[in-house]
Amino acid sequence: MLILLPPSEGKTAAVRGNPLDLGDLRLPVLNPARTQVIDALVELCSTRPAEAVDVLGIPKTQPELVDANAHLVEAPTARADRIYTGVLYDALSPATLSPAAKRRATSRVMVTSSVFGLVGLADRIPAYRLSGDATLPGLGGIQSHWRAHLGPGITEALGDGLLVDLRSGTYAAFWRPEEVAALTATVRVLHEHNGQRKVVSHFNKATKGRLVRALLESGANPRTPTKLADAFRDLGWTVEIGPTTKTGTQLDIVVAEI
């Protein structure tokens, strides 16, 4: 089973640690594409910082984010599950997982990254600022770049297991699981209030974090979208199986708002 998460916009920079070594990251097949993004991002931020503010959508009150990108290759690194922060990762709380669940998280969970394509939770990376919908001079759109390069990495990480896709729309555009649609479950969280269902960003992220945490702790390893739905139901979630499309079977997790 491979669980794909979106990254967080906010990141906690490492205070100490070795600089980035692409050779230590999972999925070395992605390293040439990773190098292209890093080179374009560092060049922009180190030589044209004022332009970088506009290109990257960085608040003018946070020039340190441009500087961090400029020094990406020599910045200290930490595990990805310590770099990514925010609502989803707070709910997942990787540091407080049981030892068995931590091992499962290391092998089964990967984060979609604008800079690195995919990273495992134990991969050591620096903090960076690069949105998935950005366009870098000399490289082009981040989404189109990864659409051209991400497939072999995901195929390698997935093997013949089930793909559990929890990516947000921006990062889902990096790669469409059309070739493995029969073994893909796209998970959507719907919040129900007064008989109406809708997606609410904050609760959506928190619920996805709790879903992944519960799945890792349970030890369940479903092989089909239907079995995944059963596993979530066994864990107390309300699940509705939606249509199967060319990108997988949709599972709706329905949460009643209080």
Side-chain angles (χ1 to χ4, degrees), residues 192-253:
E192 190 172 66
H193 182 65
N194 292 334
Q196 293 187 331
R197 295 177 179 179
K198 59 183 177 179
V199 176
V200 181
S201 179
H202 177 89
F203 296 106
N204 174 64
K205 293 174 183 177
T207 301
K208 285 183 176 179
R210 290 194 292 270
L211 283 168
V212 175
R213 182 181 179 87
L215 194 60
L216 294 172
E217 290 287 4
S218 74
N221 189 20
R223 306 284 294 183
T224 67
T226 300
K227 292 295 185 182
L228 177 63
D230 291 340
F232 281 140
R233 291 186 184 113
D234 289 343
L235 292 168
W237 298 92
T238 299
V239 185
E240 296 181 358
I241 300 179
T244 297
T245 69
K246 63 181 181 180
T247 58
T249 300
Q250 182 175 293
L251 300 188
D252 286 342
I253 309 296

Side-chain angles (χ1 to χ4, degrees), residues 147-204:
R147 273 198 300 273
H149 295 97
L150 199 55
I154 293 183
T155 300
E156 178 181 328
L158 179 61
D160 60 356
L162 175 69
L163 177 64
V164 184
D165 193 350
L166 288 93
R167 297 173 297 167
S168 56
T170 296
Y171 296 94
F174 281 23
W175 174 79
R176 302 292 187 185
E178 296 181 6
E179 294 182 2
V180 293
L183 292 176
T184 298
T186 59
V187 180
R188 184 174 66 163
V189 176
L190 297 177
H191 290 262
E192 190 172 66
H193 182 65
N194 292 334
Q196 293 187 331
R197 295 177 179 179
K198 59 183 177 179
V199 176
V200 181
S201 179
H202 177 89
F203 296 106
N204 174 64

Side-chain angles (χ1 to χ4, degrees), residues 6 48 142 153 163 172:
R48 306 189 303 282
I142 293 297
L163 177 64

Side-chain angles (χ1 to χ4, degrees), residues 24-47:
D24 288 340
L25 301 185
R26 290 179 64 184
L27 306 180
V29 69
L30 299 179
N31 282 348
R34 289 164 171 162
T35 298
Q36 289 179 294
V37 177
I38 291 169
D39 287 349
L41 183 61
V42 170
E43 195 278 335
L44 170 66
C45 293
S46 60
T47 63

Side-chain angles (χ1 to χ4, degrees), residues 7 37 112-117 128 130-133 142 145-146 171 174:
V37 177
T112 314
S113 164
S114 300
V115 173
F116 302 105
Y128 61 88
L130 181 63
S131 298
D133 56 0
I142 293 297
H145 175 77
W146 285 116
Y171 296 94
F174 281 23

Side-chain angles (χ1 to χ4, degrees), residues 76-110:
T77 61
R79 289 172 54 106
D81 59 13
R82 297 176 185 172
I83 295 293
Y84 293 114
T85 56
V87 176
L88 188 155
Y89 292 90
D90 287 346
L92 174 57
S93 188
T96 65
L97 291 169
S98 67
K102 285 181 180 178
R103 290 191 294 271
R104 295 181 194 111
T106 297
S107 63
R108 298 179 183 178
V109 179
M110 300 200 79

